[in-house]
Amino acid sequence: MAAHRSGPLKQQNKAHKGGRHRGRGSAQRDGKGLKILSKKMRKELSKVDQRHRASQLRKQKKEAVLAEKRQLGSKDGPPHQVLVVPLHDKISLPEAFRLLQDTDTGTVHLNECGSTHSFMLLCPRLKHRWFFTSARPGDLHTVLDMAKVADTILFLLDPLEGWDSIGDYCLSCLFAQGLPTYTLAVQGISGLPPRKQIDARKKLSKTVEKRFPSDKLLLLDTQQEAEMLLRQLANQKQRHLAFRDRRAYLFAHAADFVPSEENNLVGTLKISGYVRGQTLNVNSLLHIIGQGDFQMKQIDAPMDPFPLNFRMIKSQKEDPGVTMEICAMDAVADMEEDLKVVMKADPDKQESLQTEVNLDPMEGEQTWPTEEELSEANDFLKESSKVVKKVPKGTSSYQAEWILDEDGESDGEDEYDDMQREDFIEEESQDEGSEKEEEEEYETMTMGESVHDDLYDENVDDEAEEKMLEKYKQERLQEMFPDEIDTPRDVAARIRFQKYRGLKSFRTSPWDPKENLPQDYARIFQFQNFTNTRKRIFKEIEEKEVEGAEVGWYVTLHVSEVPLSVVEYFKRGAPLIAFSLLPHEQKMSVLNMVVSRHPGNIEPVKAKEDLIFHCGFRRFRASPLFSQHTAADKHKFQRFLTADVALVVTIYGPITFPPASVLLFKQNSNEDVLWFKPVELRTKWGRRGHIKEPLGTHGHMKCSFDGKLKSQDTVLMNLYKRVFPKWTYDPYVPDPVPWMKSEISLAVPEVDME
């Protein structure tokens, strides 16, 4: 049998020429015993290892959620703070509190300091303690401030309508700020006929689905339903708000003021409450919402006035085997003996309260150049301005100036597009920077409280407000003719537009961002790299151990240099909320925020108007600028906050590291009336009087005069200011224009006498 032989068409494989092949031992010897693994090799795991790793990650996350649930409201953690918000005018808040304050469920402690609508509920059976507070949707700023520190928000709904218009507006603001954990409860459904209860629940579920999809509705009409609601609150998974998870914060349960020896209006404020969020260091700064930034002198740790478990002590006089339960509230008088100082401020490590850069007006001064330097600069400009052009023979130098280079020519369509994109940029300091007035000295004046009619604003006819109508016209003109303005007739155009410049292309033409900066820019702080600074600070929060008051401790903060008005604000029933500041957050800088107009807002919002800001944990007033939200290096100024378009808001404000929510509100205030209250009023018919109190927030007021006013009389207020001449001296007088007799005559219309 003949053997098979390959033919001439057999495939010939190329020989391997990889050189010398080394084994594992040789590679390790060359690498000096180091085993190098690539990222790809480290990620390659078997299916069993991948399942095991995923199971471990799930277990760790589950344990973290359970640990957070067990700590919140437990004996070692802070009380579970619940904010109760009724979303309808028919909701009875006292009735809801009566059901939650069941003595069979636990011990109830009413809060006598600060806000009267709050209480502490201690339930040893459920091993949980709650702190219930409340706020009406009409008091929007209080609702937003208390929602910043609440662990859970309990919304009370009407069984027929769910929420009214005020409640819907409150929900929109809370969603924009960021909702923590929330629960929906319906009050009053048992009062309906049995046949209508099922239909009412179905209609209410459809209404609620728009705001809260796939959320369960609980009932709050009986004690059993209240107990089920408490169990739901205790077992809920907590939602986190980014701006408060990285900072320590505290809701004040008690406050005491110790005036200083020099001035009774300023002193040390002692705030008592539970530490939340992060460990509180005494050397960091403390921000009280709506009041400002302050330094702390000391942190004390008194005995917890609301312990979950009672202390068990043995009786001395009676049988030693008999024990008695003694609540810590009975030992409040002995707090001073058990007082423990946690930490005192170190002046070398304490954060400074400096908010602005010390301005030196002589820092940018330069000496006047000499004549030699001026001549050298002129020669340099002449040499650099010489341009070589190709021109026809016999062309004069004057004609050559009008001849364009071939390289400089462009296509007609591109040039037309560039001309369409030419525009002017309005600088930030157009109105404020040029006419800067000196700071005026103000004296502190205590004004008497006046009774405000809360329903007065509802009776005001908005159509009669001429200012609002004028804003509507300006906004309409801005939409029809954007970025267009008529040439003024009473002012020279070179003076009116002296701060503007022409650009061939708004997108590509260069503009130095540090050119012609206003003087206010010398007062702000600037980051060399904002992103790296933010990452470094957040990394230190996660990794570095901070010394101070731990989360869950009941502490007393000694805050220095606090005005007396803060304590009076707290005693009137307003909440006192404090946040610790991260490094640099007390310093002023330029803040840029992306906002969009709410669909329910129909009133025009003009740039540079005084607005109220809720930025993260802060609340303040500022006059912002609006600009387009684009990715270019220049952004066009917008005169109005347009609808359905996201714009960038620019203000001077304290640094706040993102992420942080931003809410803007138009301000209607009675401060203008109170400001001019000491000024005497007079009328054209000789009557004199004064302002008694403001009515509402639209500039109306009550006034008293020395007699009756007539219907045709006018009320006036004499105001004066000092006027100085402007520096307009000019020794050069131009030649007069030759006089010519005007040939224009006014045509007098002929009147037909027939």
Side-chain angles (χ1 to χ4, degrees):
M1 185 175 180
H4 175 71
R5 294 182 179 180
S6 58
L9 301 178
K10 179 184 177 182
Q11 178 180 352
Q12 298 291 334
N13 295 329
K14 186 178 180 180
H16 182 66
K17 298 180 180 180
R20 178 185 176 187
H21 294 275
R22 298 188 301 168
R24 184 182 300 175
S26 177
Q28 289 181 357
R29 286 192 298 271
D30 294 344
K32 297 181 181 180
L34 298 177
K35 186 177 181 180
I36 302 175
L37 296 177
S38 63
K39 294 182 180 180
K40 186 177 181 181
M41 292 179 64
R42 286 198 297 267
K43 290 182 180 179
E44 287 180 356
L45 300 174
S46 63
K47 291 185 177 180
V48 178
D49 294 337
Q50 291 178 2
R51 292 173 185 170
H52 182 63
R53 184 180 180 183
S55 176
Q56 286 181 335
L57 292 176
R58 287 196 301 269
K59 187 177 180 180
Q60 291 175 1
K61 292 180 180 179
K62 186 177 181 180
E63 290 177 352
V65 173
L66 290 176
E68 185 180 8
K69 285 184 180 179
R70 291 165 183 161
Q71 183 184 14
L72 183 62
S74 64
K75 62 178 182 178
D76 298 327
H80 192 155
Q81 186 164 341
V82 181
L83 173 62
V84 183
V85 180
L87 296 178
H88 201 280
D89 190 30
K90 297 180 181 179
I91 298 296
S92 176
L93 189 60
E95 177 64 19
F97 274 19
R98 186 189 65 82
L99 294 173
L100 294 172
Q101 295 173 0
D102 186 13
T103 55
D104 296 336
T105 306
T107 307
V108 179
H109 298 283
L110 298 177
N111 187 19
E112 298 179 356
C113 300
S115 178
T116 57
H117 304 289
S118 62
F119 66 93
M120 186 77 69
L121 178 61
L122 309 177
C123 184
R125 181 165 53 89
L126 297 178
K127 298 180 180 180
H128 210 84
R129 54 180 177 172
W130 292 271
F131 178 61
F132 286 90
T133 58
S134 63
R136 285 285 178 181
D139 192 1
L140 187 59
H141 295 306
T142 302
V143 173
L144 294 177
D145 290 343
M146 298 186 71
K148 296 171 184 176
V149 296
D151 299 314
T152 303
I153 299 181
L154 177 59
F155 294 112
L156 300 181
L157 308 179
D158 182 71
L160 298 178
E161 300 179 3
W163 50 73
D164 53 12
S165 58
I166 299 178
D168 184 71
Y169 180 66
C170 179
L171 285 176
S172 300
C173 297
L174 287 173
F175 272 98
Q177 179 176 265
L179 268 181
T181 307
Y182 61 88
T183 301
L184 306 177
V186 184
Q187 185 190 66
I189 200 169
S190 61
L192 300 176
R195 296 182 179 179
K196 295 184 178 180
Q197 290 183 7
I198 299 177
D199 296 338
R201 295 187 66 172
K202 289 182 180 180
K203 292 181 180 179
L204 185 60
S205 299
K206 291 182 180 179
T207 304
V208 170
E209 282 182 357
K210 301 176 182 178
R211 290 277 191 181
F212 307 96
S214 67
D215 282 324
K216 185 179 179 181
L217 295 176
L218 301 178
L219 302 180
L220 186 59
D221 291 325
T222 61
Q223 297 290 350
Q224 292 79 9
E225 293 171 352
E227 187 173 353
M228 291 180 60
L229 178 61
L230 291 176
R231 291 182 180 272
Q232 171 70 14
L233 295 175
N235 297 325
Q236 267 186 318
K237 181 182 178 181
Q238 294 297 310
R239 302 174 65 181
H240 296 274
L241 298 179
F243 70 87
R244 74 180 186 185
D245 287 344
R246 296 185 176 93
R247 300 170 178 87
Y249 58 96
L250 179 142
F251 182 88
H253 290 262
D256 187 20
F257 182 77
V258 179
S260 62
E261 298 178 356
E262 296 82 5
N263 188 358
N264 294 331
L265 299 177
V266 179
T268 301
L269 177 64
K270 297 181 180 180
I271 307 174
S272 299
Y274 294 91
V275 180
R276 303 170 185 267
Q278 296 288 336
T279 303
L280 180 59
N281 188 284
V282 71
N283 294 320
S284 61
L285 296 180
L286 196 70
H287 175 78
I288 300 178
I289 295 181
Q291 305 297 332
D293 303 335
F294 305 95
Q295 287 181 333
M296 292 180 287
K297 297 192 297 186
Q298 182 179 323
I299 298 179
D300 299 337
M303 186 171 53
D304 191 347
F306 309 107
L308 183 60
N309 298 327
F310 299 122
R311 292 191 302 178
M312 308 295 294
I313 64 172
K314 292 185 177 181
S315 176
Q316 300 275 341
K317 299 179 181 179
E318 300 180 0
D319 187 4
V322 179
T323 59
M324 296 186 301
E325 292 184 357
I326 297 180
C327 179
M329 290 299 295
D330 299 333
V332 174
D334 300 332
M335 278 188 179
E336 297 296 334
E337 299 179 2
D338 299 336
L339 190 64
K340 177 184 176 182
V341 178
V342 177
M343 194 176 183
K344 291 188 177 181
D346 186 359
D348 297 334
K349 298 181 181 179
Q350 198 170 25
E351 289 283 345
S352 173
L353 283 173
Q354 182 182 3
T355 59
E356 301 178 5
V357 179
N358 295 326
L359 181 61
D360 185 7
M362 305 298 294
E363 184 178 359
E365 186 182 5
Q366 297 180 354
T367 57
W368 188 260
T370 61
E371 296 182 359
E372 297 179 356
E373 293 175 346
L374 291 175
S375 60
E376 291 179 0
N378 293 331
D379 296 340
F380 176 77
L381 289 175
K382 291 179 181 179
E383 293 293 333
S384 60
S385 60
K386 291 182 179 180
V387 180
V388 179
K389 294 184 178 181
K390 293 182 179 180
V391 296
K393 292 182 179 181
T395 304
S396 63
S397 60
Y398 176 77
Q399 293 173 340
E401 294 292 336
W402 293 86
I403 297 177
L404 298 176
D405 294 336
E406 295 180 359
D407 297 338
E409 295 178 356
S410 58
D411 296 337
E413 296 179 358
D414 296 340
E415 186 174 357
Y416 176 78
D417 293 340
D418 292 341
M419 293 296 292
Q420 291 291 330
R421 288 193 295 264
E422 286 184 9
D423 209 335
F424 295 104
I425 301 177
E426 179 165 349
E427 299 184 11
E428 298 176 357
S429 60
Q430 175 185 353
D431 297 334
E432 298 90 3
S434 59
E435 299 177 1
K436 203 167 181 61
E437 299 180 356
E438 296 182 355
E439 296 182 359
E440 299 178 358
E441 296 182 358
Y442 301 92
E443 62 177 358
T444 304
M445 181 179 298
T446 304
M447 308 296 295
E449 295 184 359
S450 58
V451 180
H452 303 286
D453 188 3
D454 297 334
L455 301 178
Y456 184 82
D457 290 338
E458 298 179 1
N459 301 326
V460 175
D461 188 8
D462 294 334
E463 296 180 357
E465 301 291 338
E466 297 182 359
K467 293 183 179 180
M468 188 59 63
L469 181 60
E470 184 65 23
K471 288 184 180 179
Y472 278 114
K473 292 181 180 179
Q474 294 179 4
E475 187 181 27
R476 182 61 178 169
L477 290 175
Q478 178 67 17
E479 293 178 358
M480 297 175 60
F481 308 101
D483 299 329
E484 294 185 11
I485 187 172
D486 295 332
T487 304
R489 297 182 178 180
D490 55 343
V491 182
R494 67 180 184 276
I495 298 177
R496 173 62 180 86
F497 303 109
Q498 61 184 347
K499 295 182 179 180
Y500 294 79
R501 67 177 63 180
L503 297 178
K504 183 176 182 180
S505 173
F506 180 78
R507 182 178 59 86
T508 59
S509 297
W511 192 311
D512 187 5
K514 296 186 178 181
E515 177 186 354
N516 288 337
L517 293 178
Q519 192 175 5
D520 290 337
Y521 266 67
R523 303 165 56 186
I524 64 175
F525 287 87
Q526 180 181 358
F527 285 95
Q528 186 175 4
N529 193 319
F530 178 79
T531 304
N532 290 348
T533 304
R534 173 177 170 270
K535 289 181 179 179
R536 177 181 57 81
I537 292 176
F538 286 178
K539 188 176 181 181
E540 290 178 356
I541 295 174
E542 297 175 357
E543 299 178 355
K544 189 177 179 181
E545 295 183 0
V546 181
E547 182 183 1
E550 299 291 338
V551 177
W553 289 7
Y554 186 83
V555 298
T556 299
L557 309 180
H558 295 251
V559 188
S560 58
E561 300 297 329
V562 180
L564 180 61
S565 59
V566 178
V567 185
E568 296 176 350
Y569 175 78
F570 175 69
K571 291 181 178 179
R572 289 197 299 266
L576 189 61
I577 302 171
F579 273 82
S580 66
L581 298 181
L582 299 180
H584 311 299
E585 283 195 328
Q586 79 278 13
K587 301 175 182 177
M588 297 290 290
S589 186
V590 176
L591 303 185
N592 297 308
M593 317 168 190
V594 181
V595 299
S596 58
R597 184 171 169 178
H598 190 267
N601 181 24
I602 59 175
E603 295 184 4
V605 181
K606 194 175 181 180
K608 302 179 183 178
E609 279 189 358
D610 196 11
L611 302 179
I612 298 176
F613 283 73
H614 279 262
C615 179
F617 56 90
R618 297 182 187 270
R619 172 162 51 89
F620 56 89
R621 295 186 302 174
S623 301
L625 295 177
F626 302 140
S627 60
Q628 293 180 355
H629 184 37
T630 58
D633 59 344
K634 296 182 292 294
H635 312 278
K636 293 180 68 175
F637 170 78
Q638 297 289 325
R639 291 182 174 85
F640 289 90
L641 183 62
T642 56
D644 301 330
V645 178
L647 298 180
V648 176
V649 173
T650 304
I651 61 169
Y652 292 113
I655 297 168
T656 303
F657 290 104
S661 58
V662 179
L663 280 79
L664 275 66
F665 298 93
K666 292 193 67 174
Q667 179 186 10
N668 292 323
S669 173
N670 56 11
E671 293 183 359
D672 288 344
V673 179
L674 295 176
W675 177 265
F676 292 104
K677 189 175 181 180
V679 183
E680 185 185 22
L681 303 177
R682 71 171 185 88
T683 68
K684 290 186 176 180
W685 290 70
R687 297 298 181 185
R688 295 186 178 273
H690 63 277
I691 301 173
K692 291 186 63 177
E693 60 183 10
L695 287 176
T697 58
H698 288 73
H700 297 248
M701 67 195 99
K702 287 183 179 180
C703 303
S704 62
F705 292 88
D706 56 358
K708 291 184 178 181
L709 300 183
K710 297 183 179 181
S711 59
Q712 66 270 26
D713 204 348
T714 305
V715 180
L716 305 173
M717 178 186 294
N718 291 333
L719 298 176
Y720 306 92
K721 78 167 187 176
R722 193 174 178 183
V723 181
F724 299 91
K726 291 187 177 181
W727 197 280
T728 57
Y729 173 77
D730 187 1
Y732 172 74
V733 179
D735 296 334
V737 180
W739 181 83
M740 296 179 61
K741 183 179 180 181
S742 177
E743 300 294 338
I744 301 176
S745 60
L746 295 176
V748 179
E750 297 181 358
V751 180
D752 192 0
M753 302 300 295
E754 293 181 0

